[in-house]
Amino acid sequence: MESFSERKSDDTEASIANDIDDKALIVDGASAGHKTKWTTVEFVATADLRAEEATDKPADGAYAWMVIFACFISLMLSIGINDAYGVYQQHYQLTEFPEATTAVISWIGTVQFLIMSVGGVLSGFLCEHFDTRVLNAVGAVIMGIAFIGGSFCTSVGQLMVTQGLLYGLGA
């Protein structure tokens, strides 16, 4: 005689199989109106393959910590510097451009944040087509060039182009 838990698990498996068989998945031929159904065997096999792929590499290792450190540095340099623009603004106002108004100097940070935010749409498109590590390296080079160029600026307009536009594009 089967126990209640065995019966319950059999019923659950049967209901899952029925649910899977009832749901159609649209594939590449969807534009032509073609549809295919997942079978229970295909679904279980796909789930097993995904589980094997997920467990191939250890979750904790030197490479994983290097990736986390690289992400930390990348976010610090892109978003952190952008959020700390007030430090730059105070320096520009007090030492570099004391004759310029605060409203004019604040446009540097505004352009920087605007280009970074709007550039997110372009970044998303590029990440789908290119390796993210390459894109991150290119962005870091652009940000570096922007800061080096900004150190040679003699007017607020030049800073708006280098630190505002160019840095925002790299971030």
Side-chain angles (χ1 to χ4, degrees):
M1 173 177 239
E2 65 181 349
S3 68
F4 175 73
S5 61
E6 289 174 3
R7 220 174 343 150
K8 185 178 178 184
S9 67
D10 289 341
D11 292 343
T12 305
E13 288 174 9
S15 67
I16 291 173
N18 288 336
D19 287 345
I20 293 170
D21 288 337
D22 290 342
K23 295 181 181 176
L25 176 69
I26 300 173
V27 293
D28 292 338
S31 60
H34 300 290
K35 293 183 180 179
T36 186
K37 288 188 177 184
W38 282 90
T39 64
T40 307
V41 174
E42 290 172 329
F43 180 75
V44 171
T46 304
D48 287 343
L49 287 176
R50 288 184 185 150
E52 285 178 19
E53 290 172 1
T55 58
D56 281 348
K57 296 180 183 176
D60 190 18
Y63 181 75
W65 285 107
M66 293 284 286
V67 170
I68 290 172
F69 180 71
C71 290
F72 169 75
I73 296 296
S74 176
L75 289 173
M76 181 184 70
L77 291 176
S78 60
I79 297 173
I81 289 175
N82 199 0
D83 286 344
Y85 175 74
V87 175
Y88 291 101
Q89 182 172 349
Q90 183 180 12
H91 173 73
Y92 295 150
Q93 183 70 45
L94 296 177
T95 59
E96 300 293 325
F97 309 108
E99 71 282 349
T101 64
T102 306
V104 171
I105 293 176
S106 68
W107 272 101
I108 299 167
T110 303
V111 170
Q112 181 179 348
F113 186 75
L114 173 72
I115 298 299
M116 186 185 85
S117 298
V118 172
V121 176
L122 176 65
S123 296
F125 174 77
L126 291 174
C127 284
E128 289 178 355
H129 294 82
F130 300 103
D131 186 19
T132 54
R133 291 174 288 192
V134 172
L135 293 174
N136 200 0
V138 169
V141 168
I142 292 172
M143 289 186 296
I145 291 170
F147 273 128
I148 291 170
S151 69
F152 295 109
C153 291
T154 57
S155 72
V156 175
Q158 291 172 345
L159 271 175
M160 213 173 292
V161 171
T162 58
Q163 190 174 351
L165 184 69
L166 195 58
Y167 179 84
L169 187 64

